[in-house]
Amino acid sequence: MNNPQLHPESLMMSYGYKPELSEGSLKCPIFQTSTFVFKTAEEGKAFFEVAYGLREKGEIEELGLIYSRLNNPDLEILENRLTLWDKAEDCAVFESGMSAITTVLMEFLSPGDVLLYSQPVYGGTSHFIEQIITRFGIKVISFDSKDSDEDIINRIEKSGFGNKVNMVYIETPANPTNQLIDMVMCKRLANRYSTEERQTLVAVDNTYMGPLWQHPLKHGADLVLYSATKYIGGHSDVIAGACLGPKELMGRVKGMRTFLGNMAGPWTGWLLMRSLETLKARMNVQEKNAQNVAKFLINHPKVGEVFYLGNIKDENQQRIFDQQCEGTGAMVSFEIKADKTEKGAFKFLNNLKLMKLAVSLGSTESLAEHPASMTHAGVSPEDREKYGISPQLIRLSIGVEHQDDIIGDIKQALADI
């Protein structure tokens, strides 16, 4: 049942796996091995020729197994299954979301290039872009959801580096404010700054929406990135990342991954294959729960602004949502209606009983955290204020518990503020 015409959720248990090659095992075994045995020297030579790009794989030739830093059955099957959700040609899985992000940036950016990127982004991404790649002669220019094409073009032209824009990197919805970045606009910008010699790429971190609620490749993105730790893993028990896109670009991503050595291991691959079987069921419950949590928060007297994709008030943001989103997600951020300090937010977090006070998102359990002092602590105070990451902001990742219990916990935690 490897028919790609079936729905992705129907293929997650079987796609890309042949039980007859694994003693009839219903589930793919864990191939916990560092290296693989060649039948002949000629076979080994042929495998390496394809792996190192010395020749193209034959039409009916299968990529041979060599060494688990290059390929492993658990990772290959997982990557094949992940392509189904985004309708991507190829996928690469990494040891973490940051491994995926940093590998892509290092492969496609060189000294003298310009990276155009959206704000706010995940704190780790922000640090790598602003504090690390700039050390290697890569220039960075930021923009946010309020900027139009014209605003961004003016900023680029004013910098004097318009002929050097090599990538547009965006995270949408933004973490933790749920602000949306227009992917179609980003593709227009990429096309504007592409040349005959160089294509300006669009890379989208789709972690906040997971593989279900948004599909960036449909809207002009060249590469889509995930922290697979989140919705793809979904159980807070594995760290992983993924990048998906066309074969030509993914060949370069996988080449860089090989030499950086940040490929995920077979145990991680096996865990993620298990998680993919329930991904749609989990995300559907999480989205429904989040809708009810947001509705409760919007009407609560001790809650100020609620940042949720089902509660968009800006006309342009609603246009972008209608254009590129296929669901309202399960991330809800809100401000405690108190003074402009973290005191009320901390009290709320300390009062929680069912929900766990922890960073990360997308798992079966509901989580709450304080972005300004936790996930975005490394962002400058000026940027936190500019992008709405206030001291009174709480970020919730809604899980699969009963919605009445989640809301009841939030209600009792707010009661004492």
Side-chain angles (χ1 to χ4, degrees):
M1 294 297 291
N2 283 339
N3 179 2
Q5 300 305 313
L6 297 175
H7 293 84
E9 60 268 31
S10 300
L11 293 168
M12 287 302 120
M13 281 63 76
S14 60
Y15 189 77
Y17 173 59
K18 299 176 181 178
E20 61 270 22
L21 298 180
S22 297
E23 302 294 337
S25 174
L26 176 65
K27 297 296 184 184
C28 178
I30 302 171
F31 287 84
Q32 193 68 48
T33 184
S34 59
T35 194
F36 298 87
V37 176
F38 306 133
K39 294 176 183 176
T40 64
E42 289 80 3
E43 181 183 70
K45 176 184 178 181
F47 289 176
F48 269 94
E49 285 175 341
V50 175
Y52 279 81
L54 302 178
R55 65 175 178 85
E56 292 294 320
K57 183 166 65 69
E59 188 174 339
I60 61 172
E61 182 182 10
E62 292 194 10
L63 183 62
L65 295 166
I66 298 173
Y67 184 71
S68 281
R69 181 167 57 85
L70 299 172
N71 52 7
N72 178 284
D74 295 289
L75 268 293
E76 289 189 353
I77 295 168
L78 169 65
E79 289 167 349
N80 289 338
R81 292 180 186 178
L82 277 170
T83 63
L84 299 175
W85 294 102
D86 283 291
K87 293 182 171 58
E89 290 182 1
D90 201 3
C91 171
V93 174
F94 295 81
E95 289 184 326
S96 70
M98 282 305 302
S99 287
I101 292 166
T102 56
T103 299
V104 165
L105 294 177
M106 291 174 69
E107 171 59 29
F108 294 106
L109 295 172
S110 300
D113 286 344
V114 172
L115 172 67
L116 180 65
Y117 73 105
S118 66
Q119 284 274 45
V121 290
Y122 167 62
T125 307
S126 175
H127 180 84
F128 188 80
I129 289 174
E130 296 166 10
Q131 305 297 324
I132 296 181
I133 64 171
T134 51
R135 289 162 37 193
F136 300 99
I138 296 166
K139 299 173 178 63
V140 298
I141 298 173
S142 67
F143 68 99
D144 61 45
S145 63
K146 296 183 180 66
D147 289 320
S148 65
D149 299 51
E150 186 178 353
D151 295 329
I152 299 169
I153 291 167
N154 288 339
R155 195 168 302 155
I156 295 170
E157 298 305 321
K158 189 176 179 180
S159 76
F161 298 111
N163 63 334
K164 296 289 187 178
V165 178
N166 210 42
M167 178 178 283
V168 183
Y169 179 94
I170 66 174
E171 183 178 324
T172 182
N175 179 359
T177 59
N178 269 321
Q179 291 294 304
L180 295 167
I181 302 295
D182 188 338
M183 287 187 260
V184 174
M185 177 192 73
C186 290
K187 187 61 176 180
R188 284 200 303 268
L189 290 169
N191 289 339
R192 180 186 179 94
Y193 290 103
S194 293
T195 67
E196 290 184 6
E197 297 77 27
R198 170 188 48 77
Q199 177 192 2
T200 299
L201 302 177
V202 177
V204 179
D205 184 337
N206 198 38
T207 298
Y208 238 49
M209 295 298 267
L212 204 63
W213 298 317
Q214 186 170 261
H215 299 106
L217 298 178
K218 287 171 53 177
H219 303 285
D222 299 289
L223 296 167
V224 57
L225 294 145
Y226 292 100
S227 170
T229 309
K230 311 305 192 289
Y231 291 105
I232 293 170
H235 293 79
S236 295
D237 57 8
V238 62
I239 300 290
C243 177
L244 299 94
K247 284 188 178 295
E248 181 181 359
L249 296 179
M250 290 307 302
R252 292 181 58 181
V253 172
K254 286 185 172 181
M256 178 63 83
R257 180 184 69 174
T258 293
F259 294 106
L260 289 177
N262 55 10
M263 181 181 199
W267 176 235
T268 293
W270 188 91
L271 283 171
L272 291 177
M273 277 194 282
R274 173 216 61 180
S275 294
L276 283 182
E277 296 183 7
T278 61
L279 183 140
K280 185 170 184 179
R282 287 185 282 108
M283 292 181 71
N284 282 344
V285 173
Q286 288 169 286
E287 181 177 41
K288 183 178 178 181
N289 281 347
Q291 290 168 352
N292 286 287
V293 167
K295 183 178 179 180
F296 170 80
L297 289 169
I298 289 166
N299 295 307
H300 198 285
K302 294 183 180 179
V303 171
E305 189 74 24
V306 177
F307 304 95
Y308 170 62
L309 293 179
N311 185 46
I312 297 175
K313 298 176 181 177
D314 179 82
E315 184 177 329
N316 189 51
Q317 285 284 290
Q318 186 63 52
R319 177 191 64 80
I320 298 171
F321 175 85
D322 294 340
Q323 171 182 282
Q324 67 191 36
C325 297
E326 298 174 34
T328 49
M331 298 301 297
V332 183
S333 294
F334 68 97
E335 291 183 328
I336 300 291
K337 191 183 289 184
D339 57 23
K340 303 294 183 180
T341 71
E342 62 191 27
K343 184 178 178 181
F346 277 21
K347 193 165 188 180
F348 170 82
L349 292 170
N350 292 337
N351 285 345
L352 291 171
K353 297 183 177 3
L354 174 68
M355 300 184 76
K356 301 297 185 290
L357 173 53
V359 296
S360 197
L361 59 98
S363 286
T364 50
E365 65 282 314
S366 294
L367 302 175
E369 65 109 2
H370 185 250
S373 65
M374 297 177 188
T375 50
H376 293 70
V379 178
S380 70
E382 295 78 19
D383 280 347
R384 288 202 301 267
E385 181 178 0
K386 180 178 180 181
Y387 299 120
I389 308 172
S390 66
Q392 61 268 36
L393 185 71
I394 301 289
R395 190 190 76 179
L396 304 179
S397 171
I398 304 302
V400 301
E401 306 96 338
H402 195 286
Q403 64 185 38
D404 292 348
D405 296 329
I406 301 172
I407 293 171
D409 194 31
I410 296 171
K411 184 177 181 179
Q412 67 82 25
L414 286 168
D416 194 32
I417 297 175

